[in-house]
Amino acid sequence: MAKLSNRFWFQLHGWFSLPIWLIFCFVCLTGTIAVFSHELTWLTNPASRAANPDNLPAKPAAELVATVQQAYPTADVSMVMAFEPYLVNAVAFTDHDKPYALAYINQYTGDIQQINEGITFIGFMRSLHGWLLFPWPGSYSVGYYLVSAMALVMLGALVTGLVIYKNFWRSFTQPKVRLHQGKKTILTDLHRLAGVWSIWFLIVMSATGLWYLVQAVMWHADIDIEPHAPLVSAEQLSATTQTPPFSFADAMAKTLQRYPDFRPSYLMLPEHNRGMYTLMGGGNHIFYDEQAYTLSINPWTGDIAHEKTPATMTALQTVMHIADPLHYGTIGGIWTKAIWFLFGLILSGMSITGFMIWGSRTVKAVRESRKAATLTEVNHGAQ
């Protein structure tokens, strides 16, 4: 009975991954690359590097916006994006000949180093990994569902793998790779060893992936986890001017005065005369993402119409803002990214070795079946 049970668990372990093996492996590989997308951008695109040989302080975001508006007088600036200190800031804008463009501005020198009118490598890798570049016809994407559902596959493979591998904890103290007992044995040992040492990583990826699946369902059902930025009331608009008296620089100053540890990431300007400044950034909270602080500031009155911080978040908002740092390994900067990258490669390798093990077992089973059938035919013929 125990033998049948082990066989059942092994088959279940295989079927958790094999039907969608190629997709699972692809998601693992793209996610591994996405962890280092910022560093790869710095490495491959000199215009993205924020060189600062004179050790200058970063210029205010409002000054960067003014630089773009001076270079492109008819431009409509919508957002400023700040990344790591070694990457330039990106100012998003539209113009009469540019449906959408990003100005790469060195925040230390104030120089526009490049105008990018296409998709960035960072955006491409995050989109490829997040929803396989499937379209978003509304509030959902089939690709996003498909990728986030890999969490169920990963969790199922983890549980069944631990059931199959008896006394798995011995791999922590007595790691074993038998190099002289054939290809099948080497693959099996590597697969088991990698699986045991990756238990923590599999749990983190499964948990965050399950959250992304829940989030996809909520988006599809039009359930807002966070409220939309409020609109300026019609009574607060000026009848004599279209230019709000409270500038972008004023909004940034007010934000930094209220939250001294505010670290800007996405700073959005009003899209119309009833829109507000929406300022998002991180702070001194290791497990929260770079949108943990969000403030909506009325450009006509200077009032903070809405604000969200780690201290005021709901339970769902908290989960949403800690999921990305845990999923992409940004909680500790370059060092945790390197750990996540390494274990991402290990997980990708596990999916490949698992398929190779299944393939060798399947080929062997087919050969034995054919051999048994041949022997049966020979025996019948002899009779």
Side-chain angles (χ1 to χ4, degrees):
M1 188 69 181
K3 189 174 181 180
L4 290 176
S5 178
N6 287 338
R7 182 182 179 187
F8 165 78
W9 285 110
F10 182 82
Q11 289 177 337
L12 187 61
H13 180 72
W15 281 111
F16 262 114
S17 302
L18 294 174
I20 48 175
W21 171 81
L22 189 60
I23 298 175
F24 182 77
C25 186
F26 184 78
V27 169
C28 291
L29 287 172
T30 53
T32 302
I33 296 171
V35 167
F36 269 153
S37 58
H38 288 191
E39 288 72 17
L40 291 172
T41 297
W42 182 93
L43 185 66
T44 58
N45 184 5
S48 70
R49 301 170 190 170
N52 188 19
D54 299 324
N55 199 25
L56 299 171
K59 295 181 180 295
E63 190 173 329
L64 304 183
V65 171
T67 300
V68 173
Q69 291 174 332
Q70 184 178 0
Y72 299 91
T74 58
D76 182 15
V77 176
S78 59
M79 179 168 55
V80 179
M81 291 175 281
F83 308 100
E84 282 86 349
Y86 53 81
L87 288 177
V88 296
N89 286 183
V91 179
F93 69 97
T94 58
D95 207 348
H96 60 88
D97 60 342
K98 293 177 176 60
Y100 180 79
L102 290 175
Y104 288 179
I105 303 183
N106 188 319
Q107 62 269 29
Y108 307 110
T109 65
D111 296 332
I112 299 178
Q113 298 182 176
Q114 187 181 51
I115 300 296
N116 188 330
E117 298 185 51
I119 188 171
T120 65
F121 177 73
I122 296 170
F124 174 76
M125 288 309 306
R126 293 296 176 98
S127 301
L128 185 63
H129 172 66
W131 52 89
L132 305 175
L133 299 181
F134 274 65
W136 288 76
S139 57
Y140 76 98
S141 169
V142 173
Y144 195 93
Y145 271 121
L146 190 59
V147 171
S148 55
M150 293 298 105
L152 299 173
V153 173
M154 194 179 304
L155 186 60
L158 172 61
V159 172
T160 54
L162 293 179
V163 172
I164 295 168
Y165 191 13
K166 308 298 183 183
N167 303 323
F168 64 87
W169 52 87
R170 292 179 180 173
S171 290
F172 292 117
T173 57
Q174 302 173 13
K176 178 177 63 176
V177 178
R178 294 164 290 181
L179 300 176
H180 305 291
Q181 297 187 24
K183 174 183 173 183
K184 178 183 174 183
T185 301
I186 294 175
L187 288 176
T188 301
D189 287 348
L190 287 174
H191 187 78
R192 288 177 174 177
L193 188 64
V196 171
W197 281 87
S198 300
I199 289 174
W200 70 272
F201 188 72
L202 289 165
I203 292 173
V204 170
M205 293 299 106
S206 297
T208 53
L210 287 173
W211 162 250
Y212 294 139
L213 182 59
V214 171
Q215 187 174 249
V217 173
M218 295 181 72
W219 284 344
H220 200 167
D222 293 326
I223 299 173
D224 290 329
I225 303 173
E226 293 185 341
H228 296 285
L231 295 176
V232 175
S233 64
E235 294 79 12
Q236 293 176 327
L237 299 178
S238 173
T240 59
T241 179
Q242 293 293 316
T243 304
F246 201 75
S247 68
F248 180 43
D250 295 333
M252 283 299 303
K254 186 160 191 171
T255 299
L256 291 171
Q257 182 180 10
R258 189 171 183 86
Y259 300 107
D261 65 331
F262 181 82
R263 188 172 55 249
S265 58
Y266 296 94
L267 311 172
M268 290 177 279
L269 281 68
E271 296 181 3
H272 43 76
N273 64 349
R274 293 189 62 187
M276 294 199 181
Y277 298 114
T278 301
L279 311 178
M280 295 185 288
N284 297 328
H285 301 275
I286 185 173
F287 287 107
Y288 287 84
D289 62 15
E290 293 302 307
Q291 296 90 47
Y293 288 89
T294 301
L295 286 84
S296 296
I297 299 180
N298 190 320
W300 297 96
T301 65
D303 297 332
I304 297 177
H306 174 74
E307 60 184 320
K308 180 207 68 197
T309 69
T312 61
M313 288 181 185
T314 64
L316 286 179
Q317 289 171 348
T318 299
V319 173
M320 183 173 72
H321 286 282
I322 66 175
D324 274 5
L326 289 173
H327 193 76
Y328 290 103
T330 59
I331 55 177
I334 188 67
W335 299 109
T336 50
K337 282 186 179 183
I339 295 172
W340 260 245
F341 181 82
L342 173 63
F343 278 89
L345 290 178
I346 292 174
L347 184 57
S348 303
M350 285 175 58
S351 68
I352 295 172
T353 56
F355 183 78
M356 293 174 69
I357 293 169
W358 175 83
S360 64
R361 287 178 180 269
T362 302
V363 170
K364 181 180 178 180
V366 170
R367 286 176 179 173
E368 290 178 352
S369 177
R370 289 178 177 175
K371 184 177 180 180
T374 302
L375 290 174
T376 301
E377 291 178 0
V378 170
N379 291 334
H380 280 299
Q383 293 174 358

